[in-house]
Amino acid sequence: MPSSTVAERRGPWQKARMQTPPARIGDPIDAVDTPALIVDLDAFDANIARMAAFGREAGIELRPHAKTHRCPAVALRQVAAGAVGQCVQTIGEAEAMVAGGIADVMVTNQIVSPLKLARLTALAERARVSLLVDSPEGVALASQAAAERGVELGCLVEIEIGMGRCGIAPGAPAAELGRRIADAPSLKFLGLQAYNGRSQHFVKLADRRAAVERAADAVRETVQALTAHGLTAEIIGGAGTGTFRLEAAAGLWTELQVGSYVFMDREYASLEGEGGRVEPEFRQSLFVLATIVSHSAPDRAVANGGLKVMSAEQGKPGLTDMPGAEVVGISDEHSLIRLGQGAPAVAIGQPVRLVPSHCDPTVNLHDWIVAVRGDRVEEIWPVTARGASR
Amino acid sequence: MPSSTVAERRGPWQKARMQTPPARIGDPIDAVDTPALIVDLDAFDANIARMAAFGREAGIELRPHAKTHRCPAVALRQVAAGAVGQCVQTIGEAEAMVAGGIADVMVTNQIVSPLKLARLTALAERARVSLLVDSPEGVALASQAAAERGVELGCLVEIEIGMGRCGIAPGAPAAELGRRIADAPSLKFLGLQAYNGRSQHFVKLADRRAAVERAADAVRETVQALTAHGLTAEIIGGAGTGTFRLEAAAGLWTELQVGSYVFMDREYASLEGEGGRVEPEFRQSLFVLATIVSHSAPDRAVANGGLKVMSAEQGKPGLTDMPGAEVVGISDEHSLIRLGQGAPAVAIGQPVRLVPSHCDPTVNLHDWIVAVRGDRVEEIWPVTARGASR
């Protein structure tokens, strides 16, 4: 097939098409053009510091997941606080992270396209790069790509531990795949990926605990099977914002791949933890700043942020500082607010802060994150991997 | 407040940040890098021709809505087929449409920010531009902006006809607002906007019919009230892909603001029309082309397109050409496919076509639309208003 090279796909096509930033550094927050994605830096800084302190105290590495932020400015702050690098989900994210100064990137995904593997091996000339496999085909494709470029790719076996998505069966099948990696030219066997994205979101702590216990059994069985093949897992990766304390306590995982903790969202806030919210010390730092554009009846108002600035598959956004008010509808460019008993008066032109229900796909809708400290715009970060799903 | 000017927000900030296109013109479809947004041109062309024919036969103008496609290449084809111009929902969309060659743009939204109104009046120097109001504040702000620039803005009263979102009450309140527009410097009273986004999606045809009948009563009452103020509505806009035949039959509306018909989606396909689907002659033209990247158990496979290439607040995507298979999960970068009895065999690397559940926010996730005819890439269209929600 006459597929084009990476170079041919760039060059003449690469034109400016990002949106202009919604503010300037130094602006007061009420000068921010809306709808805009804002980060409260006090909450954001505290979230990064708290997770870093947890890793240090637990004696476990952090490799935060860039799928949450797609933004090197965020990744660099996580690394400055001690993280070993970043996880990414796509080659485009990997390219953006390396271009932004991240030296160690793990693609926590199955990459089976020769074009994508060629981009990954190009990155391996500039950074430490690894990826997952769950099939012999995956091993063969990665090995061939790395050999063609003359680089070595780190490679981990993804095991299926309850999510029912990607991943080979733990134990002997996983160890055999590990052996295949170790024997393949230009690949280095690094270890295991044991991640369950579903269990992050179980509402009850007891259910999350049971899921991690089952996962730990699968990891133990696989580590033993690797030993029989003469292999040692240097890295065992996994965990997320909903379960990271449990994986750390299990004493098997070597890296926590937490993502959402930097921003938090409405869905995570709804989970139950020890005596309350899942992680009360992690604060909501991510908001969509919108403006009331219509208020044509006493019981309703409309804000100018909708489905194109907030993902809604996890539900409608929340509101801050508006007791008695609720978002009851969301469409392309509007959030419909029902004003109940005791809701504060609203006026056309008034700003409103919306709390996204799911942070990862919400950030991906924006070219810029406006980082505010109190009421002042302190920084403006480009989301350089926005749209980078290839 | 020291707000920045439009010019200051551009210039140094405007850097290339769009993704490279996933294909080249002339490529076979199996050379398209995935996940990619593709349009089947045979279905797309037929959809445009059919809606254009409907408008001609019904004697009613078409002003398709650019919120669906955010892409001048699509808009130009609609205008070439006879449409009077485009609707948009944001100033960024209006700028992209005018830059792309559309000469008549209606902002079907409430615009109450001086910064945005300044951008709109700048456009009015180059194109015919109109917007909606539903409040005296809206009239005053638009009038002031137009007067400052020395241009005239077309202005329509948005009336509330059952959606419970924006819009002033029909009848006397709407007519009084119309009078206020007619009396305001630099505004031209154009007519009424009578759109009910909710009723587009009522599953039963009878419910959609009843909603349009109620809306027609409200329009009639408002037209009479306008007459008492010495005003005539040159334009009465509204309708969508779910109801356009009903508004056309009512004999009141002058413009149909249909959007989704060019692409269609899974949600529209689920509505009931006369003896079956809502609009059987409009075909699904929009797909996400993805690739199977994991198949680690006989009953499941995983495709590499997720929440960042398809909006899912209207449900999971559908599958084409895979009887017995179903998308049962969607996450940031994956669609999890359950392979039931009789499902075809799948292989790693195999392409799969996903049918988005909601076309508008799905297109907004992409920088490029790959337009295919049969198995060949015929055109590649930039989605120049991608992300343009300000």
Side-chain angles (χ1 to χ4, degrees):
Chain A
M1 91 192 176
S3 82
S4 48
T5 67
V6 175
E8 284 170 336
R9 283 164 197 253
R10 297 179 187 278
W13 289 98
Q14 196 134 15
K15 302 254 177 65
R17 195 68 36 78
M18 75 186 296
Q19 301 301 314
T20 51
R24 288 182 310 176
I25 292 170
D27 274 354
I29 195 167
D30 63 4
V32 176
D33 195 19
T34 64
L37 191 68
I38 64 172
V39 159
D40 179 314
L41 280 171
D42 288 338
F44 172 87
D45 290 347
N47 290 348
I48 287 187
R50 280 186 178 128
M51 188 61 86
F54 176 84
R56 278 194 306 275
E57 287 157 20
I60 192 164
E61 302 286 6
L62 298 184
R63 186 187 289 275
H65 214 304
K67 71 181 177 182
T68 299
H69 52 70
R70 291 192 151 184
C71 176
V74 175
L76 289 168
R77 279 160 180 79
Q78 293 172 319
V79 168
V84 295
Q86 293 276 300
C87 296
V88 299
Q89 205 74 318
T90 71
I91 305 300
E93 289 174 351
E95 289 169 338
M97 290 302 130
V98 172
I102 302 299
D104 188 333
V105 173
M106 179 188 293
V107 185
T108 58
N109 206 347
Q110 304 297 321
I111 306 298
V112 299
S113 140
L115 186 65
K116 290 185 175 67
L117 286 165
R119 289 162 58 198
L120 189 63
T121 56
L123 279 186
E125 295 179 333
R126 300 197 283 141
R128 190 174 181 216
V129 170
S130 53
L131 82 165
L132 312 184
V133 294
D134 72 355
S135 68
E137 296 95 319
V139 175
L141 288 161
S143 173
Q144 184 182 347
E148 279 175 7
R149 180 85 59 178
V151 297
E152 188 177 67
L153 284 177
C155 199
L156 299 93
V157 174
E158 180 170 14
I159 59 174
E160 207 297 293
I161 56 165
M163 181 158 49
R165 194 174 71 180
C166 301
I168 193 167
E176 284 158 22
L177 198 62
R179 184 72 257 167
R180 197 182 277 260
I181 295 169
D183 293 342
S186 304
L187 296 185
K188 177 176 167 58
F189 174 73
L190 285 182
L192 302 176
Q193 172 79 347
Y195 173 69
N196 184 339
R198 274 176 63 209
S199 68
Q200 303 307 315
H201 305 283
F202 292 158
V203 172
K204 300 279 183 203
L205 175 60
D207 293 339
R208 299 201 296 282
R209 191 186 303 280
V212 174
E213 282 169 5
R214 283 194 302 275
D217 291 341
V219 170
R220 254 182 234 106
E221 179 195 352
T222 309
V223 168
Q224 285 174 0
L226 287 171
T227 305
H229 280 277
L231 294 172
T232 303
E234 174 189 327
I235 296 176
I236 300 179
T241 297
T243 65
F244 69 91
R245 291 176 199 281
L246 303 169
E247 278 94 347
L252 293 163
W253 281 265
T254 68
E255 293 188 356
L256 302 178
Q257 301 173 343
V258 285
S260 301
Y261 77 98
V262 280
F263 296 142
M264 299 301 284
D265 58 32
R266 213 175 176 211
E267 195 270 334
Y268 263 120
S270 73
L271 306 186
E272 295 171 11
E274 304 273 14
R277 267 186 52 207
V278 57
E279 290 296 341
E281 70 266 50
F282 291 98
R283 289 156 55 193
Q284 184 68 38
S285 72
L286 188 80
F287 304 90
V288 167
L289 186 67
T291 301
I292 299 295
V293 296
S294 176
H295 181 32
S296 55
D299 64 343
R300 70 167 184 263
V302 181
N304 66 347
L307 294 171
K308 288 173 181 167
V309 295
M310 286 172 290
S311 114
E313 92 288 343
Q314 294 292 338
K316 297 180 180 65
L319 287 164
T320 56
D321 308 323
M322 292 185 77
E326 185 186 5
V327 175
V328 295
I330 181 167
S331 50
D332 278 17
E333 302 293 345
H334 297 110
S335 286
L336 175 60
I337 298 169
R338 184 74 61 213
L339 301 165
Q341 291 295 329
V346 302
I348 287 174
Q350 173 182 321
V352 54
R353 281 190 192 205
L354 299 160
V355 181
S357 56
H358 190 181
C359 54
D360 301 20
T362 293
V363 174
N364 182 54
L365 293 165
H366 295 265
D367 290 303
W368 303 96
I369 296 171
V370 179
V372 301
R373 180 95 59 193
D375 288 334
R376 183 178 165 278
V377 175
E378 188 167 298
E379 307 202 29
I380 299 180
W381 300 330
V383 185
T384 59
R386 192 278 319 152
S389 289
R390 284 191 295 274
Chain B
M1 89 192 179
S3 82
S4 48
T5 68
V6 175
E8 285 170 335
R9 283 165 197 254
R10 295 177 188 278
W13 289 100
Q14 197 133 14
K15 303 256 178 66
R17 195 70 36 78
M18 74 186 296
Q19 301 301 314
T20 51
R24 289 181 311 175
I25 292 170
D27 274 353
I29 194 167
D30 64 4
V32 176
D33 194 21
T34 64
L37 192 68
I38 64 173
V39 159
D40 179 314
L41 279 170
D42 289 339
F44 172 88
D45 290 348
N47 290 348
I48 287 186
R50 281 186 177 128
M51 187 62 85
F54 176 84
R56 278 195 305 275
E57 287 156 21
I60 192 165
E61 302 286 6
L62 299 184
R63 185 187 291 273
H65 214 303
K67 70 180 177 181
T68 299
H69 52 71
R70 289 191 151 185
C71 176
V74 175
L76 290 167
R77 280 161 180 78
Q78 293 171 319
V79 168
V84 295
Q86 293 275 301
C87 296
V88 299
Q89 205 73 319
T90 71
I91 305 302
E93 288 174 353
E95 289 170 338
M97 289 303 130
V98 172
I102 302 300
D104 188 333
V105 173
M106 179 188 293
V107 184
T108 58
N109 206 348
Q110 303 297 320
I111 306 297
V112 299
S113 138
L115 186 64
K116 289 185 174 68
L117 286 165
R119 290 162 57 198
L120 188 64
T121 56
L123 279 185
E125 295 178 334
R126 300 196 282 143
R128 191 174 181 219
V129 171
S130 54
L131 81 165
L132 312 183
V133 295
D134 71 355
S135 68
E137 295 95 319
V139 175
L141 286 161
S143 173
Q144 184 182 346
E148 279 175 7
R149 178 86 57 179
V151 297
E152 187 177 68
L153 284 177
C155 200
L156 299 92
V157 173
E158 181 171 12
I159 59 174
E160 208 296 295
I161 57 166
M163 181 158 50
R165 194 174 71 180
C166 301
I168 193 168
E176 286 158 22
L177 196 62
R179 185 69 258 167
R180 197 182 278 259
I181 295 169
D183 292 344
S186 304
L187 297 185
K188 176 175 168 59
F189 174 74
L190 285 183
L192 303 176
Q193 171 80 347
Y195 173 69
N196 184 341
R198 274 176 63 207
S199 67
Q200 303 307 315
H201 305 284
F202 292 159
V203 172
K204 301 277 184 206
L205 176 60
D207 293 339
R208 299 199 296 282
R209 191 185 305 280
V212 174
E213 283 170 4
R214 283 193 302 273
D217 289 343
V219 170
R220 254 182 235 105
E221 179 194 353
T222 309
V223 168
Q224 286 175 359
L226 287 170
T227 305
H229 280 276
L231 294 172
T232 303
E234 175 189 327
I235 296 175
I236 300 180
T241 297
T243 64
F244 69 91
R245 292 176 199 280
L246 304 169
E247 279 94 347
L252 292 163
W253 280 266
T254 69
E255 292 187 357
L256 302 179
Q257 302 173 344
V258 286
S260 301
Y261 77 99
V262 280
F263 297 140
M264 298 302 283
D265 58 32
R266 215 175 175 212
E267 194 271 333
Y268 263 119
S270 72
L271 305 186
E272 296 170 11
E274 304 273 11
R277 268 187 51 207
V278 56
E279 288 297 340
E281 71 265 51
F282 292 98
R283 290 157 54 194
Q284 186 68 37
S285 72
L286 188 79
F287 303 90
V288 167
L289 186 67
T291 302
I292 299 294
V293 295
S294 175
H295 181 31
S296 55
D299 64 344
R300 69 166 184 264
V302 181
N304 66 348
L307 294 171
K308 289 174 181 167
V309 296
M310 286 171 291
S311 112
E313 91 289 342
Q314 294 293 337
K316 297 180 180 66
L319 286 164
T320 56
D321 309 322
M322 292 185 78
E326 186 187 3
V327 175
V328 295
I330 182 166
S331 50
D332 277 18
E333 302 293 346
H334 297 110
S335 286
L336 174 61
I337 299 170
R338 184 75 61 212
L339 301 166
Q341 290 293 331
V346 302
I348 287 175
Q350 174 183 321
V352 56
R353 281 191 191 204
L354 299 160
V355 181
S357 56
H358 189 182
C359 55
D360 301 19
T362 292
V363 175
N364 181 55
L365 293 166
H366 295 266
D367 290 304
W368 303 96
I369 296 171
V370 179
V372 301
R373 181 95 58 195
D375 288 334
R376 183 179 164 280
V377 175
E378 187 167 299
E379 307 202 29
I380 299 180
W381 300 330
V383 184
T384 60
R386 192 279 319 153
S389 288
R390 283 191 295 274

